[in-house]
Amino acid sequence: MAGILSSLQGAVGQGVLWGIMVLGIYITFRLMDIADLTVDGSFALGGSVCAALVAGKGMNPVLALVVCLAAGMAAGAVTGILHTVFEIPAILAGILTQISLWSINLKVMGKSNMNLGKAETPISWLKDSFGLTQNQAMIVTGLVVTVLVIVFLYCFFGTELGSAMRATGNNEDMIRALGGNTNRIKLLALMLSNGLVGLSGGLVCQGQNYADIQMGTGAIVIGLAAIIIGEVL
């Protein structure tokens, strides 16, 4: 029984950290009606950047997560520029960025995987300070970050820009007729989405204590499945 509960905690801990990625995918897939395949690359990018900064540079792990967020936004910006400026279909633009990120992630880490070693992270700090297990610390950390992200998104989508983003996904022609810059809104949506994906990748890296070049493989499938299951439930 104890083994089952331990395994369940591990699944929940991983699920909460991956759930932040699903929030990012929801923005493009449901709100903007864009199938963004950048996710597989930007998730691994977040993990690679986190490992390189924390283990390689000794950076503060919380600050490293902010950089992971920025790195994900940069990846989303590349996809957005390919789609809006060069008028490449969104799905193909995502594929191009995803393939490019494979080489970039290898360059960032310098190898196919990197261990964080004994570097202190928010998860390890919770373990040492409160006597929690690894899985319990992952759950607490994931819940705190998830709540912060949800509050931010709730406030953002209540603003004029957030409302314009939702309206663009619902009826792009109407927003364009009203004088809205739909290309800029799409670019912002892709940046916001992949920023959350990169943040999730950084958290997963800290949770499992290492980053791997293949950690983002199938991330878009997992995210879409989670969205569909969540809507059904």
Side-chain angles (χ1 to χ4, degrees), residues 192-207:
L192 178 60
S193 171
N194 284 281
L196 294 178
V197 173
L199 174 62
S200 178
L203 285 168
V204 170
C205 169
Q206 294 186 8

Side-chain angles (χ1 to χ4, degrees), residues 118-142:
K118 296 183 179 180
E120 185 178 7
T121 64
I123 295 174
S124 64
W125 178 81
L126 285 173
K127 286 176 57 183
D128 298 336
S129 301
F130 299 96
L132 301 177
T133 65
Q134 175 75 10
N135 295 331
Q136 290 171 344
M138 287 169 58
I139 293 173
V140 173
T141 303

Side-chain angles (χ1 to χ4, degrees), residues 31-50:
L31 297 185
M32 301 301 298
D33 195 25
I34 296 176
D36 180 25
L37 298 183
T38 313
V39 171
D40 285 18
S42 57
F43 185 84
L45 176 64
S48 300
V49 169
C50 182

Side-chain angles (χ1 to χ4, degrees), residues 27-101:
I27 294 174
T28 51
F29 182 64
R30 278 290 181 246
L31 297 185
M32 301 301 298
D33 195 25
I34 296 176
D36 180 25
L37 298 183
T38 313
V39 171
D40 285 18
S42 57
F43 185 84
L45 176 64
S48 300
V49 169
C50 182
L53 293 177
V54 174
K57 303 295 184 181
M59 179 180 285
N60 182 288
V62 176
L63 181 59
L65 291 177
V66 176
V67 180
C68 292
L69 175 68
M73 294 182 70
V78 172
T79 300
I81 291 173
L82 290 175
H83 176 51
T84 60
V85 177
F86 295 98
E87 299 183 352
I88 298 174
I91 189 169
L92 180 56
I95 292 173
L96 292 174
T97 307
Q98 175 197 131
I99 295 173
S100 301
L101 284 173

